[in-house]
Amino acid sequence: MKRVAVYPGTFDPVTNGHLDLCERGRRHFDRVILSVLRHDQKQPMFTIPERVELLREATSQWDNVAVDSFDGLLVDYARDAGATIILRGIRAVTDLEYEMQMAMMNRRLADTLETVFLVPSEAYSYVSSRLVREVASLGGSVDGLVPEVVAAALAEKFKDRKPS
Ligand code: PNS
């Protein structure tokens, strides 16, 4: 039986931390599906098609990684996608409470799905999409923290803004 893992998230935008986790995941599972939540309450910087496209470009070298988007309950999406694993990252202990709550809720909703936490490289332990957006919007460099396609997309978004 093939082990399919769904790695869900907002990915606004994808960072090298997400990619590090995806690469670790793809070594252990037959297939990893990175899936972007479509209807989120947060105000996104990148649209869903933009986020999906950036993810596709950033993961195109990995043949067992797919990119998708979803709506509704993650457990329903994962079941329909044929996944038995939800993949999430824990960067630091501060992630744990939120991640545990989601994992427990998802288990309550679908007991056969297992949440698997992986730890990204310590080089990315402080990297978040939120900080990347903030730094880029204020004219700071995010080189090395995001894939080149994302750095270019951020530069394009903020090309008319002067560094502070
Ligand atoms: O990157 P994020 O914002 O931490 O990802 C959060 C995400 C998308 C994994 C989470 O919000 C989610 O799974 N939403 C889908 C709705 C759902 O199933 N909610 C109930 C279980 S927690």
Side-chain angles (χ1 to χ4, degrees):
M1 203 178 100
K2 292 231 183 278
R3 287 161 307 171
V4 179
V6 168
Y7 179 5
T10 309
F11 300 112
D12 186 32
V14 59
T15 68
N16 285 346
H18 294 127
L19 295 176
D20 179 275
L21 204 87
C22 180
E23 162 127 61
R24 289 171 200 282
R26 79 178 205 93
R27 291 193 221 126
H28 296 279
F29 306 119
D30 297 301
R31 189 169 154 80
V32 173
I33 307 170
L34 289 148
S35 201
V36 184
L37 176 64
R38 279 201 292 270
H39 283 113
D40 200 1
Q41 277 136 10
K42 299 172 206 158
Q43 278 294 319
M45 174 172 281
F46 291 96
T47 65
I48 298 292
E50 283 173 334
R51 281 181 264 164
V52 165
E53 185 52 31
L54 290 171
L55 274 166
R56 287 215 170 105
E57 288 182 41
T59 60
S60 60
Q61 71 278 25
W62 296 324
D63 56 5
N64 64 340
V65 174
V67 178
D68 195 11
S69 62
F70 76 104
D71 235 338
L73 283 177
L74 172 62
V75 293
D76 291 339
Y77 169 75
R79 190 194 49 233
D80 293 348
T84 54
I85 294 138
I86 296 170
L87 181 61
R88 292 285 290 176
I90 303 270
R91 289 165 298 191
V93 72
T94 42
D95 284 336
L96 203 60
E97 192 177 341
Y98 169 62
E99 294 298 334
M100 287 292 285
Q101 281 180 347
M102 283 204 295
M104 298 293 182
M105 183 59 81
N106 285 328
R107 177 175 286 166
R108 184 189 155 87
L109 293 168
D111 199 20
T112 53
L113 271 174
E114 210 59 67
T115 299
V116 173
F117 296 123
L118 294 179
V119 177
S121 163
E122 66 272 22
Y124 305 120
S125 60
Y126 63 95
V127 178
S128 68
S129 298
R130 185 182 65 78
L131 281 183
V132 161
R133 290 195 304 271
E134 186 173 313
V135 169
S137 72
L138 296 171
S141 169
V142 291
D143 287 354
L145 304 182
V146 294
E148 280 177 21
V149 279
V150 170
L154 286 164
E156 180 61 26
K157 278 243 184 256
F158 298 113
K159 66 174 188 272
D160 298 328
R161 290 204 197 169
K162 294 258 177 298
S164 49

